[in-house]
Amino acid sequence: GNSVTQMEGPVTLSEEAFLTINCTYTATGYPSLFWYVQYPGEGLQLLLKATKADDKGSNKGFEATYRKETTSFHLEKGSVQVSDSAVYFCALGISGGTSYGKLTFGQGTILTVHP
Amino acid sequence: DAGVIQSPRHEVTEMGQEVTLRCKPISGHNSLFWYRQTMMRGLELLIYFNNNVPIDDSGMPEDRFSAKMPNASFSTLKIQPSEPRDSAVYFCASSEGYGGAVYEQYFGPGTRLTVT
């Protein structure tokens, strides 16, 4: 089956620190990969995505590269801000068949950034 | 576009009562997903629909839970009778969901349910 494993949190950083949140996946077929972010009291929203191997998704200073050889999609940011404090979810979707847009989500990683 | 709309945003009810959560997906989207989020279990997919037809309800925890999608612009998730362990945030999400392609899901703001 398909699954996503994220590094366990919570992750606590000081402002301007470098961020990495690890994500690895297991998939049958050719997955597209996503990072979603959930700010306190809100629903999940798409942060970035990559649809094929070696693609790099980027948004708001965050980046993630689709690595097929290591089945990974690690999230990085060079300098975090207090406003980046949120829960981050890695997810995959499989093309083909009858998935109808279903995504498989990881367990989420809580990030707290202190001033 | 108003995005995915959920109501109510907060619901407090007593054990044994019926609870109905409502969702209006983004116009033109034909897949709709219901999730439950708790600290203990994280984000769980309960059920999803495509073109108003339930595709997979294997995540529905038990017979007390039911979901319907009578038309393309409305879905309900009902819990009857409710129990304290049903307390959670319930999210609705929608996506384009045509056949085998992969699409971004758009989430609503959630309904925070508290069963006392």
Side-chain angles (χ1 to χ4, degrees):
Chain A
N2 303 318
S3 67
V4 175
T5 302
Q6 296 181 224
M7 67 184 286
E8 290 193 17
V11 174
T12 303
L13 296 173
S14 297
E15 207 165 25
E16 300 184 2
F18 184 85
L19 168 71
T20 299
I21 300 178
N22 291 337
C23 170
T24 57
Y25 67 88
T26 302
T28 55
Y30 304 97
S32 294
L33 301 172
F34 303 81
W35 276 102
Y36 278 77
V37 59
Q38 182 182 26
Y39 298 105
E42 299 183 10
L44 283 70
Q45 57 185 272
L46 180 68
L47 180 60
L48 54 84
K49 66 180 181 183
T51 59
K52 62 183 186 295
D54 299 326
D55 271 1
K56 177 184 284 188
S58 61
N59 186 25
K60 299 181 181 179
F62 291 89
E63 294 183 338
T65 301
Y66 186 158
R67 301 288 189 197
K68 186 177 179 182
E69 63 276 12
T70 55
T71 61
S72 64
F73 193 54
H74 304 323
L75 182 68
E76 297 182 336
K77 186 176 185 182
S79 176
V80 294
Q81 305 300 311
V82 172
S83 57
D84 294 326
S85 298
V87 184
Y88 292 81
F89 292 88
C90 186
L92 69 82
I94 299 293
S95 60
T98 54
S99 59
Y100 299 120
K102 177 185 176 181
L103 299 179
T104 299
F105 286 87
Q107 73 271 32
T109 301
I110 299 172
L111 170 66
T112 302
V113 180
H114 292 296
Chain B
D1 195 330
V4 176
I5 299 172
Q6 291 187 247
S7 64
R9 292 294 312 276
H10 301 273
E11 177 79 37
V12 180
T13 191
E14 292 184 348
M15 182 174 61
Q17 297 298 305
E18 177 179 296
V19 175
T20 300
L21 311 182
R22 298 172 175 80
C23 175
K24 176 179 170 56
I26 292 172
S27 177
H29 283 186
N30 61 350
S31 284
L32 182 140
F33 305 82
W34 281 104
Y35 293 89
R36 177 172 69 178
Q37 186 178 38
T38 61
M39 289 296 293
M40 290 296 293
R41 295 185 297 269
L43 188 69
E44 303 172 276
L45 175 64
L46 301 177
I47 184 172
Y48 70 101
F49 296 83
N50 182 259
N51 289 329
N52 313 334
V53 176
I55 301 300
D56 184 354
D57 65 354
S58 61
M60 296 286 262
E62 47 197 278
D63 292 344
R64 297 185 297 106
F65 286 70
S66 62
K68 294 181 180 179
M69 192 164 185
N71 57 61
S73 59
F74 184 65
S75 177
T76 59
L77 178 67
K78 185 177 293 186
I79 308 172
Q80 165 63 18
S82 57
E83 297 183 3
R85 60 194 168 120
D86 301 331
S87 297
V89 181
Y90 291 82
F91 289 104
C92 175
S94 70
S95 74
E96 295 185 53
Y98 292 100
V102 179
Y103 298 94
E104 171 188 356
Q105 288 184 14
Y106 294 79
F107 281 73
T111 295
R112 180 173 295 277
L113 173 65
T114 302
V115 183
T116 61

